[in-house]
Amino acid sequence: MERLLINGGRKLDGEVQISGAKNAVLPILAASLLTNGCCVIKNVPKLDDVYVMLSVLEELSVRVSWQRNELRLDCSRVAPAAPNPEILGKIRASNLILGPLLGRFKEAEIGACGGCSIGSRPMNLHFAALEVLGAKVLPLEAGYFVFAKALRGGEVHLAFPSVGATENLLMAASLAEGKTVLYNAATEPEIVDLAGFINAMGGKISGAGSDVITIEGVKRLGGAEYTIMPDRIETGTLLVAGAMCGGRLHLSGARPEHNQALLQALQQAGISFTYNIGDSKESFIEICGCAGRPLPLQITTASYPGFPTDMQPQLAAMLSLSQGQSVICERIFENRFRFVDELKKMGASIQLRGNCAIIDGVTRLHGMSVCATDLRAGAAMVLAGLAATGRTVVEQVEYIDRGYEDFAGKLNCLGADICRLDNFGNEKGCKLVV
Ligand code: UD1
């Protein structure tokens, strides 16, 4: 396993471009299976979950070629097949091939899908939604075979606004006969991006971004060209880095309207920022750090537009340095506080009570050897290391590689001192002398 070595205490300052959104590109890559044409996807972040998703598509005979951050997907030879379970098992989002394969071929076989160990992550809501359209689900020894004689639109009520279940349903219903209305749909911006891509392919989806989405099934979908939205979680992570490490960070392309819950929290914590809402070239958020220690906060994670669970560990790292007692309650995933023990090794004072963390702010964190226990937890440990005194080593950096494009490189451009060490302790991509 590779690791990051961080010399803490550097001020961050400068401008950085936000990458395309991981959670938007993964369903959009899956949606390319809906066509037998060619798709060109722009602003694709180069990160490990994307590479795994492309391997899944290649297993299904999609031909993939890169040009910088642009992907060309030739889907003319796609045929239903059961992709290698080992590849599927690497990421949770591989379950998103279910909707498009069912829509196009009326059958899909998937092995057990993987992902971060942040919770049990069942598929019941996906299946219940697809069953309304006429799908049948056969559990296999490891995974599922889902099939339908015919897919017909219907009224679907999700018991919880699951992001993945909403996405799978949008994809399957786009090639079903007739109209589907989805109630209690997830409202995340990534759902809007997926609907935008399917509509660019010739689909008829309206209402994405609200909790009622209407999908008029069409006979076939064609190829499309599409640009992925900027990553709101990368944006949020860098905002918190700026809040913890002072200086002025200008996040180009960041979409303030996608980060309202976090911006509100930062404002309450006493952190100042400015922003511009515009098209992708004009849109930005600029953060000016915090004059002193941040004020404590009470935060509960929720579905969009609530506070995102994917920003909870990073915010906890910031609040571990606040001027009082904060409480963070996690309502989306049951196992999302595994980073707490790691943060405590650095001097944080945190107690867990059920699904809440009680954080008593301390004046400083100190460098230590810690583990990235999952993707966002790993990002939180890097932020803690940047703000800490001395050296921090973050082990299992592969988790971070799954969801951030060149995380350490971007932070180094802003003035951080992060060095990557390979399995043998050799330096890779170090900016400064360690
Ligand atoms: C997506 C995001 C992930 C984010 C999460 C919540 C992607 C690739 N991943 O994950 O980064 O943290 O949304 O914003 O976009 N659930 C069920 N049954 C189901 C489906 C979900 O009980 O069939 C539960 C899950 O266990 C979890 C909650 O619903 O507790 C939220 O899951 P969901 O919204 O589906 O998240 P994902 O799509 O997996």
Side-chain angles (χ1 to χ4, degrees):
M1 285 286 201
E2 299 196 352
R3 64 199 105 121
L4 295 178
L5 200 151
I6 304 166
N7 280 324
R10 312 272 163 140
K11 200 171 188 175
L12 298 186
D13 198 82
E15 181 174 342
V16 69
Q17 182 69 39
I18 297 301
S19 297
K22 167 180 96 72
N23 287 352
V25 75
L26 295 175
I28 285 174
L29 291 178
S32 69
L33 294 168
L34 288 164
T35 180
N36 62 0
C38 281
C39 297
V40 176
I41 319 286
K42 299 180 177 181
N43 199 29
V44 178
K46 292 194 165 173
L47 41 86
D48 284 357
D49 276 15
V50 167
Y51 298 138
V52 174
M53 193 57 145
L54 290 174
S55 303
V56 173
L57 295 187
E58 282 173 333
E59 289 274 304
L60 294 162
S61 305
V62 175
R63 281 180 292 179
V64 173
S65 55
W66 282 97
Q67 206 174 20
R68 297 192 177 182
N69 284 77
E70 189 174 302
L71 268 177
R72 190 184 150 83
L73 305 170
D74 176 350
C75 303
S76 56
R77 295 185 182 177
V78 172
N84 181 339
E86 244 177 69
I87 300 176
L88 281 182
K90 286 185 180 169
I91 57 169
R92 163 78 178 174
S94 55
N95 68 21
L96 294 172
I97 63 171
L98 190 57
L101 288 180
L102 185 66
R104 188 157 156 213
F105 301 106
K106 309 294 173 272
E107 63 174 68
E109 184 177 330
I110 52 164
C113 298
C116 285
S117 46
I118 55 179
S120 59
R121 308 187 88 170
M123 294 280 293
N124 57 319
L125 299 172
H126 300 238
F127 296 148
L130 296 171
E131 278 167 354
V132 174
L133 305 193
K136 301 242 178 316
V137 179
L138 278 183
L140 304 174
E141 203 174 314
Y144 302 90
F145 182 64
V146 184
F147 64 101
K149 273 202 183 121
L151 278 186
R152 291 205 179 83
E155 280 198 1
V156 180
H157 297 255
L158 284 181
F160 175 86
S162 153
V163 173
T166 299
E167 292 168 341
N168 259 329
L169 189 82
L170 252 56
M171 293 187 273
S174 288
L175 288 178
E177 287 167 35
K179 180 164 101 176
T180 298
V181 184
L182 174 60
Y183 296 95
N184 202 24
T187 60
E188 272 73 356
E190 293 78 10
I191 303 285
V192 180
D193 226 27
L194 173 63
F197 176 61
I198 296 175
N199 286 346
M201 298 168 94
K204 290 188 177 161
I205 300 176
S206 58
S210 78
D211 61 358
V212 181
I213 303 180
T214 305
I215 308 125
E216 297 275 358
V218 297
K219 284 221 154 30
R220 61 177 298 277
L221 291 163
E225 198 173 300
Y226 198 76
T227 302
I228 301 295
M229 62 175 264
D231 195 309
R232 64 192 168 98
I233 306 301
E234 184 197 33
T235 300
T237 305
L238 292 172
L239 284 174
V240 174
M244 292 174 76
C245 301
R248 184 175 290 269
L249 291 195
H250 184 94
L251 309 183
S252 305
R255 301 277 294 272
E257 67 275 30
H258 292 168
N259 283 280
Q260 285 303 312
L262 175 65
L263 289 176
Q264 199 182 352
L266 292 177
Q267 192 170 34
Q268 281 168 10
I271 288 135
S272 39
F273 51 82
T274 56
Y275 58 72
N276 187 47
I277 300 179
D279 69 17
S280 56
K281 286 201 185 89
E282 289 169 353
S283 186
F284 71 82
I285 307 178
E286 188 169 293
I287 187 150
C288 314
C290 189
R293 291 162 63 199
L295 298 170
L297 297 174
Q298 315 273 323
I299 294 289
T300 299
T301 62
S303 298
Y304 190 84
F307 191 90
T309 174
D310 286 355
M311 277 306 303
Q312 181 263 99
Q314 301 91 313
L315 194 80
M318 183 187 95
L319 293 177
S320 70
L321 288 165
S322 75
Q323 313 173 24
Q325 190 173 76
S326 300
V327 180
I328 296 187
C329 294
E330 172 58 52
R331 288 270 164 80
I332 305 294
F333 290 110
E334 66 273 22
N335 202 8
R336 222 166 183 175
F337 282 125
R338 296 195 316 150
F339 66 90
V340 163
D341 284 341
E342 303 302 305
L343 212 47
K344 280 165 86 171
K345 289 183 195 162
M346 299 178 74
S349 171
I350 308 178
Q351 286 173 45
L352 289 180
R353 295 230 181 94
N355 66 332
C356 296
I358 321 291
I359 307 173
D360 287 301
V362 293
T363 50
R364 70 168 56 106
L365 297 173
H366 49 80
M368 186 53 67
S369 186
V370 290
C371 251
T373 51
D374 62 60
L375 163 59
R376 306 304 172 185
M381 299 322 298
V382 171
L383 301 190
L386 290 174
T389 53
R391 278 184 188 180
T392 295
V393 177
V394 180
E395 307 273 359
Q396 297 186 338
V397 65
E398 286 78 359
Y399 276 121
I400 300 173
D401 297 338
R402 290 184 46 176
Y404 290 91
E405 184 175 55
D406 192 19
F407 192 46
K410 282 191 178 184
L411 287 165
N412 279 342
C413 285
L414 296 169
D417 178 1
I418 304 179
C419 181
R420 189 169 176 123
L421 302 180
D422 69 14
N423 294 341
F424 307 101
N426 299 318
E427 296 169 12
K428 285 172 75 181
C430 296
K431 184 183 137 200
L432 301 171
V433 177
V434 186

